[in-house]
Amino acid sequence: MKQIFTFIKNQALLTAMIAGALTHAWVSRLSFITPYLIFAMLLVTFCKISWRDIRFHPAHLWLLLIQLCGSAGIYLLIRPFDEMIAQGALLCLLTPTATAAAVITGMLGGNVGFLTTYLLFCNIAVAVAAPVYFSFIGVHEELSFLQSVWYICRQVFPLLIFPLFIAGVLRRFVPKVHRALLSVPRLTFYLWTLALVIVMGVTVNFMLKQAHSHLNTGIGLAAVSLILCCAQFQIGRRIGRQYGDPVSSGQGLGQKNNILALWMAQTYLNPLISFAPAMYIIWQNIINAYQLWRKNRK
């Protein structure tokens, strides 16, 4: 029994995805708690950040420009051929860095402080950019542009920014609660696993109902997510190499918070587009597994 539990824990990604797929009819009904889980994960992550460790680096600016400008550019490039694949590509680039990226960065010998700072910056940037981008796409056609921006902003901005302020308040005024959150080992891991089960259930539930009529789109979304995943890891490493730290920049640009991406796709875009970040989860974890294997081999 202990060996089975250890295997499940070590294969959390695969276990969560299989569990979500097998129980999609039930767990998809829990989709309403996904934003709360994302909020909790970011809160715990930001509680670990000390403001003394926040240091802006020139590489941060390059990564943000690629993330924000690149997502708009790739959308405009693909849109004349396929609107849904273009939206999937935008999401694969726009999504902020995963909270777990700091862990992988440390295991690969990168600069955890650099990655943590970028995690903070890119969440703030996406909180500002996402409402504007989604409004231009025309998610809520019945609303004017400014109404659409406000509609999306009042949901996305609190989700990404409020955890930062609450973490600061807890650290300064309620240190006991702050320490309690940090005292639970792997709390973010457990929240992430639960969120992944739910979003995979929602994705599979929708795909079983709709994907048979959108096979070509599904293949296109899987292909574009693979290309952009590999490209972002490689571009990030090239930028980081100019500053002597390819690992941190590669993880910062390539490893995405796809739980958030799945939620945004299912909330503001066609739910079928969530297939792109769902496949991105697989691609980025294959890349991470290969990087860890190569480092251990050396």
Side-chain angles (χ1 to χ4, degrees), residues 19 22 58 65 67 75 87 97 131 158-159 170 172 188 207 212 237 240 246 254 267 287:
L22 294 178
L65 286 174
Q67 189 171 338
Y75 170 76
Q87 292 181 17
T97 305
L159 182 67
L170 292 178
R172 179 68 176 84
T188 305
M207 288 174 60
H212 64 279
R237 291 185 67 89
T267 304
I287 291 175

Side-chain angles (χ1 to χ4, degrees), residues 7-295:
F7 174 80
I8 293 175
K9 185 176 68 173
N10 292 338
Q11 303 296 327
L13 168 72
L14 180 61
T15 304
M17 294 180 70
I18 292 175
L22 294 178
T23 61
H24 64 89
W26 298 279
V27 299
S28 59
R29 301 173 184 174
L30 301 175
S31 60
F32 66 93
I33 70 172
T34 302
Y36 299 103
L37 292 173
I38 297 171
F39 185 98
M41 285 189 290
L42 290 173
L43 175 61
V44 175
T45 301
F46 290 146
C47 280
K48 299 176 182 178
I49 298 177
S50 172
W51 289 106
R52 292 188 297 270
D53 299 330
I54 302 300
R55 296 287 186 276
F56 182 78
H57 193 281
H60 291 148
L61 179 60
W62 289 110
L63 297 178
L64 283 172
L65 286 174
I66 292 172
Q67 189 171 338
L68 299 178
C69 299
S71 57
I74 197 71
Y75 170 76
L76 295 174
L77 181 66
I78 301 177
R79 183 182 180 183
F81 304 98
D82 193 297
E83 172 69 24
M84 292 182 65
I85 294 178
Q87 292 181 17
L90 178 145
L91 202 57
C92 288
L93 271 166
L94 182 62
T95 303
T97 305
T99 56
V103 178
I104 302 298
T105 298
M107 295 172 67
L108 293 172
N111 186 335
V112 176
F114 173 95
L115 196 284
T116 304
T117 302
Y118 183 69
L119 176 65
L120 174 63
F121 288 155
C122 73
N123 272 279
I124 295 174
V126 171
V128 175
V132 178
Y133 284 12
F134 292 157
S135 298
F136 271 118
I137 289 174
V139 180
H140 299 283
E141 296 181 353
E142 73 280 4
L143 303 177
S144 68
F145 172 73
L146 291 178
Q147 288 175 325
S148 183
V149 169
W150 171 245
Y151 176 84
I152 301 171
C153 189
R154 69 185 183 184
Q155 292 179 289
V156 173
F157 195 84
L159 182 67
L160 297 180
I161 301 303
F162 279 9
L164 174 63
F165 290 106
I166 293 176
V169 170
L170 292 178
R171 181 188 297 271
R172 179 68 176 84
F173 299 105
V174 198
K176 290 185 178 180
V177 175
H178 184 268
R179 287 194 296 268
L181 288 174
L182 297 181
S183 67
V184 181
R186 299 170 68 85
L187 177 57
T188 305
F189 169 81
Y190 297 126
L191 292 170
W192 171 82
T193 303
L194 177 58
L196 182 57
V197 171
I198 294 173
V199 294
M200 282 306 300
V202 173
T203 302
V204 170
N205 195 50
F206 179 82
M207 288 174 60
L208 290 176
K209 295 178 180 178
Q210 301 290 335
H212 64 279
S213 59
H214 298 89
L215 180 60
N216 291 337
T217 300
I219 294 174
L221 289 169
V224 78
S225 68
L226 173 60
I227 293 170
L228 291 177
C229 181
C230 296
Q232 288 182 95
F233 272 100
Q234 186 61 29
I235 293 171
R237 291 185 67 89
R238 287 194 176 186
I239 292 174
R241 197 170 288 119
Q242 302 300 316
Y243 299 96
D245 187 7
V247 170
S248 304
S249 294
Q251 297 304 126
L253 189 62
Q255 190 170 346
K256 301 292 188 178
N257 183 359
N258 285 295
I259 302 299
L260 175 63
L262 286 163
W263 175 75
M264 289 194 295
Q266 293 162 3
T267 304
Y268 302 113
L269 308 175
N270 187 315
L272 183 61
I273 294 172
S274 62
F275 190 61
M279 293 304 298
Y280 197 108
I281 292 174
I282 298 175
W283 308 139
Q284 77 176 14
N285 280 279
I286 290 175
I287 291 175
N288 283 336
Y290 170 73
Q291 291 182 123
L292 291 170
W293 171 81
R294 189 174 64 176
K295 178 173 177 59

